[in-house]
């Protein structure tokens, strides 16, 4: 670890800003940005822009050369440790060494088995100075890739629960109505989150009540998320909008082994993928997430109602909460809470957030609560 100078912090902050350009485009790869500096001047910038495309370090070197610069002797600021393995692209350590870069300042480690310090070690063996940042920039670099980091460490995707509640904490009326609690600006933001996520998860009760599409309906969306329905008995209607649009984005049903075979067969014939899991609700949640992780799904935006939220919460599988609080009250003991399930019996067993942020979202208040750091 190294203490950054003010100039170091500025350049690393710029690399973090650049890395955001790959959001929603590079999964299961991480977001990475890079800045080349020599004699205090920026001579090259780059970020990982698309899956299978050049990595940030290579882009920064290429950007430098396109403008007539020479990276030899420069300092490279990069948000994630450079890779040293052959994947979709050659190792970045080769490009850094061949460019004659003198020093590399790294925002965060790469916890995947293929990395874990190999890249920095190779660079040091080549006589290149390598330092890991500490402080706010290092924390920001880790937070930038929470989905990638969790998947690398556990094999399961990062789960973000999205919900909209009233001032009295209700997600639906006693009659089950929830459209619309959040305002237009908040709903537009959710579409952007979908475009940035590998998958969107929902419970069958919400599907039956709302018949949602769960697609990212924003201009220039690069991809659509996998749509995963937690549906123990395979009740997803064949006439639902999800099934009707299966050619636009994958639809997957997570069912129990005792789901009616004819329903499973009909859904498969319609193009729906079926994943069979067994055990308690919590065990089924964890098994489904492990299965998604094996298929390189690194992030899930959970959009279901209180039932599915409670199952994930009881299973300990919620990493983050994004909660829209709308300026209205439902009242009534029959209106729906944020999360059902078993819950906790004692205050000391509550799921406590590590960090909370809030901001205005149109007429709503958006609260972001992070429960784990990977």
């Amino acid at each position: 670890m190294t203490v950054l100078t003010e100039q170091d912090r500025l350049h690393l902050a710029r690399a973090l800003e650049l890395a955001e350009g790959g959001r929603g485009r590079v999964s299961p790869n991480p977001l990475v940005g890079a800045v080349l500096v020599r004699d205090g001047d920026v001579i090259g910038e780059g970020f990982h822009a698309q899956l299978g495309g050049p990595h940030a370090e290579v882009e920064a070197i290429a950007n430098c050369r396109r403008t007539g610069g020479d990276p030899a002797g420069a300092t490279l600021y990069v948000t994630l440790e450079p890779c040293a393995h052959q994947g979709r692209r050659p190792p970045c350590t080769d490009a850094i060494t061949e460019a004659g870069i003198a020093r590399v300042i790294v925002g965060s480690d790469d916890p995947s088995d293929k990395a874990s310090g190999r890249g920095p070690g190779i660079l040091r063996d080549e006589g290149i100075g390598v330092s890991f940042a500490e402080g706010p920039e290092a924390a920001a670099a880790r937070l930038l890739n929470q989905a990638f980091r969790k998947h690398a460490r556990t094999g399961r995707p990062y789960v973000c629960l999205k919900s909209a509640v009233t001032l009295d904490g209700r997600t639906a009326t006693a009659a089950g109505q929830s459209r619309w609690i959040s305002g237009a600006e908040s709903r537009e933001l959710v579409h952007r989150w979908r475009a940035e996520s590998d998958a969107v998860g929902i419970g069958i009760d919400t599907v039956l009540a709302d018949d949602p599409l769960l697609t990212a309906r924003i201009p220039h969306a690069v991809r659509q998320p996998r749509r995963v329905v937690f549906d123990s008995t395979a009740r997803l209607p064949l006439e639902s909008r999800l099934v009707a649009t299966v050619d636009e984005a994958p639809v997957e049903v997570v069912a129990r082994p005792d789901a009616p075979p004819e329903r499973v067969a009909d859904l498969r014939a319609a193009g729906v993928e079926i994943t069979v899991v067994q055990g308690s609700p919590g065990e089924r949640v964890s098994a489904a997430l492990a299965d998604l992780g094996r298929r390189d799904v690194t992030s899930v935006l959970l959009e279901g109602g209180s039932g599915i939220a409670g199952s994930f919460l009881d299973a300990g599988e919620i990493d983050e909460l994004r909660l829209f609080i709308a300026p209205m009250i439902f009242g009534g003991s029959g209106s729906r809470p944020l999360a059902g399930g078993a819950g906790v019996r004692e205050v000391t067993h509550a799921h406590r957030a590590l960090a909370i942020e809030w901001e205005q979202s149109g007429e709503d208040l958006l609260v972001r609560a992070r429960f784990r750091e990977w």
Side-chain angles (χ1 to χ4, degrees):
M1 300 293 180
T2 186
V3 177
L4 302 181
T5 67
E6 192 60 33
Q7 285 300 307
D8 288 337
R9 296 181 66 181
L10 287 173
H11 296 314
L12 195 50
R14 174 57 180 163
L16 288 163
E17 181 183 355
L18 288 166
E20 287 288 348
R23 191 171 293 280
R25 298 170 178 268
V26 301
S27 180
N29 284 0
L31 300 172
V32 186
V35 175
L36 265 175
V37 177
R38 189 175 57 204
D39 299 326
D41 296 324
V42 174
I43 59 173
E45 294 184 338
F47 65 93
H48 187 31
Q50 62 181 9
L51 188 64
H55 289 184
E57 301 93 321
V58 173
E59 277 290 291
I61 294 168
N63 175 247
C64 171
R65 288 173 170 157
R66 280 194 298 268
T67 57
D70 182 0
T75 296
L76 175 69
Y77 296 84
V78 62
T79 57
L80 187 77
E81 68 175 76
C83 66
H85 63 277
Q86 176 69 50
R88 293 181 176 90
R89 308 292 298 190
C92 289
T93 50
D94 290 354
I96 293 169
T97 302
E98 291 165 5
I101 290 169
R103 183 173 174 235
V104 178
I105 295 182
V106 180
S108 70
D109 66 306
D110 180 342
S112 60
D113 291 338
K114 294 178 290 188
S116 298
R118 286 187 60 223
I122 289 172
L123 294 177
R124 289 185 179 112
D125 288 345
E126 294 292 333
I128 298 171
V130 180
S131 300
F132 278 82
E134 61 181 18
E137 289 75 22
R142 291 191 299 271
L143 291 177
L144 179 71
N145 282 307
Q146 285 296 285
F148 171 78
R149 295 177 70 85
K150 180 183 179 182
H151 186 255
R153 286 177 166 168
T154 70
R156 301 194 308 281
Y158 185 86
V159 178
C160 175
L161 171 62
K162 183 280 301 181
S163 191
V165 300
T166 60
L167 290 171
D168 54 339
R170 299 297 166 166
T171 59
T173 67
Q177 294 182 1
S178 60
R179 290 188 172 181
W180 293 106
I181 292 176
S182 58
E185 293 89 343
S186 299
R187 298 197 297 274
E188 183 177 348
L189 189 55
V190 171
H191 283 284
R192 195 180 83 197
W193 293 343
R194 289 175 182 172
E196 295 171 355
S197 301
D198 293 340
V200 173
I202 196 168
I204 184 58
D205 289 341
T206 302
V207 174
L208 297 176
D210 297 340
D211 192 22
L213 272 173
L214 302 180
T215 50
R217 297 185 292 282
I218 56 173
H220 313 302
V222 175
R223 59 171 187 170
Q224 293 295 338
R226 169 178 292 271
R227 297 168 292 173
V228 182
V229 183
F230 289 82
D231 179 11
S232 297
T233 54
R235 291 184 290 158
L236 179 64
L238 295 175
E239 64 276 12
S240 67
R241 295 203 294 170
L242 286 172
V243 177
T245 57
V246 72
D247 291 336
E248 299 177 21
V251 176
E252 177 178 347
V253 162
V254 178
R256 290 196 313 248
D258 60 352
E262 65 278 6
R263 291 291 307 153
V264 171
D266 287 345
L267 287 170
R268 281 189 170 132
V272 175
E273 301 174 29
I274 305 293
T275 298
V276 177
V277 293
Q278 56 188 346
S280 67
E283 290 170 337
R284 295 199 301 273
V285 164
S286 296
L289 291 175
D291 183 76
L292 288 168
R294 283 190 289 271
R295 287 177 283 148
D296 280 342
V297 172
T298 67
S299 59
V300 174
L301 182 66
L302 188 64
E303 293 196 38
S306 63
I308 192 68
S311 294
F312 270 72
L313 194 62
D314 288 345
E317 294 288 2
I318 293 178
D319 299 294
E320 182 184 345
L321 171 66
R322 297 178 188 173
L323 186 66
F324 295 107
I325 302 175
M328 62 178 75
I329 292 176
F330 284 167
S333 59
S335 54
R336 313 290 173 80
L338 170 64
V344 300
R345 297 181 64 87
E346 299 179 22
V347 173
T348 54
H349 295 162
H351 304 272
R352 185 171 293 275
L354 295 177
I356 294 180
E357 299 174 351
W358 56 87
E359 63 188 87
Q360 196 77 24
S361 176
E363 62 182 11
D364 305 322
L365 177 67
L366 170 58
V367 176
R368 300 173 188 248
R370 186 162 38 85
F371 291 91
R372 295 190 185 92
E373 182 178 327
W374 297 97

